[in-house]
Amino acid sequence: MSNLTIQQTDLNELEEKRATKPVYIMAIETSCDETSVAIVENGTIIRSNVISSQIETHQRYGGVVPEVASRKHVESITWMLEEAVVKAGVSLQELSAIAVTEGPGLIGALLVGVVAGKALACALDLPLIGVHHIAGHIYANQLVHELEYPLISLVVSGGHTELIYMEGPGKFRIIGKTRDDAAGEAYDKIARAMGLPYPGGPHVDGLRRKPSPKSPCRELGLKRALTTSALAA
């Protein structure tokens, strides 16, 4: 999906537009089990952010089923795009670019967002920006404050729980990560072993906050370390 990446000439055009009028970017996210579309003004002002959750759909399975998630994205993506524009109070013709998560994530789910983004960008003759999922999580912090380099970022997302060192913009080095499951996925599996509902995080945390002698807690032994570090000797 590298061909999605915006060209430098397009970036220069966006900067020129920003000097004369607001730059509105539509951002599309379908990497897992939530369909989300946002309109961001000048990189820092969130004009709208609409989300369609699939929690109720996946509860019966105790976790996210990729094929089911993809089908739900197909059902909701069109009206999510429309709702984001309406809530932002802008027209499609006022958009400056379309951004979409290109990976990592569930391939079928990602495909829905990428195809929608490509179609809209083509119809409106706009630049299409392919966004790396994990980089997106890190750079989202710029919505509330400027990033100061060098920095270390903790990313807890989907199948990726990582400590990332950034010397400067666009320079990433993973210095620690989980060996397999991310925190949320681990919570779901622990909850399932304890007979708790999905998603597991709130329910496990609830037991920690309000322990009960009747709770389904039992000892869960760990056979090996769950993290690995690039800094280890």
Side-chain angles (χ1 to χ4, degrees), residues 205-226:
D205 191 55
L207 290 177
R208 179 188 67 82
R209 295 174 182 275
K210 296 181 179 180
S212 167
K214 296 183 180 180
S215 70
C217 295
R218 60 188 175 86
E219 184 176 349
L220 299 173
L222 298 178
K223 297 182 179 180
R224 59 177 174 78
L226 296 181

Side-chain angles (χ1 to χ4, degrees), residues 18-225:
R18 185 172 179 176
T20 58
K21 62 179 182 179
V23 171
Y24 297 112
I25 294 181
M26 172 182 281
I28 303 170
E29 153 62 19
T30 62
S31 63
C32 191
D33 62 333
E34 289 184 335
T35 312
S36 180
V37 181
I39 306 295
V40 180
E41 178 183 342
N42 292 337
T44 57
I45 303 172
I46 303 174
R47 295 292 296 263
S48 66
N49 183 27
V50 294
I51 301 172
S52 177
S53 174
Q54 299 181 19
I55 287 181
E56 292 185 3
T57 300
H58 297 282
Q59 276 180 333
R60 72 185 71 176
Y61 309 110
V64 177
V65 180
E67 177 61 24
V68 174
S70 302
R71 291 176 182 270
K72 296 298 289 184
H73 285 307
V74 171
E75 294 175 8
S76 60
I77 187 65
T78 301
W79 63 264
M80 292 294 288
L81 294 171
E82 294 175 349
E83 186 175 347
V85 171
V86 171
K87 287 192 172 183
V90 301
S91 66
L92 291 175
Q93 288 68 34
E94 292 180 275
L95 296 178
S96 304
I98 308 294
V100 59
T101 304
E102 62 174 344
L106 304 178
I107 187 63
L110 288 166
L111 189 60
V112 176
V114 168
V115 170
K118 278 186 173 181
L120 193 56
C122 182
L124 298 174
D125 192 25
L126 293 175
L128 181 65
I129 306 171
V131 179
H132 188 282
H133 184 180
I134 306 305
H137 279 293
I138 297 174
Y139 284 119
N141 288 283
Q142 290 191 153
L143 292 169
V144 292
H145 59 77
E146 286 294 323
L147 299 183
E148 297 182 7
Y149 302 96
L151 60 81
I152 292 179
S153 175
L154 170 63
V155 180
V156 185
S157 168
H160 302 81
T161 296
E162 301 170 339
L163 274 175
I164 300 174
Y165 173 75
M166 294 183 65
E167 182 179 351
K171 297 180 179 179
F172 306 94
R173 181 163 69 93
I174 297 175
I175 58 176
K177 63 180 180 179
T178 49
R179 294 180 59 171
D180 41 34
D181 294 342
E185 194 173 356
Y187 266 117
D188 291 338
K189 291 182 178 180
I190 291 171
R192 189 181 306 126
M194 295 168 61
L196 297 173
Y198 171 87
H203 299 285
V204 174
D205 191 55
L207 290 177
R208 179 188 67 82
R209 295 174 182 275
K210 296 181 179 180
S212 167
K214 296 183 180 180
S215 70
C217 295
R218 60 188 175 86
E219 184 176 349
L220 299 173
L222 298 178
K223 297 182 179 180
R224 59 177 174 78

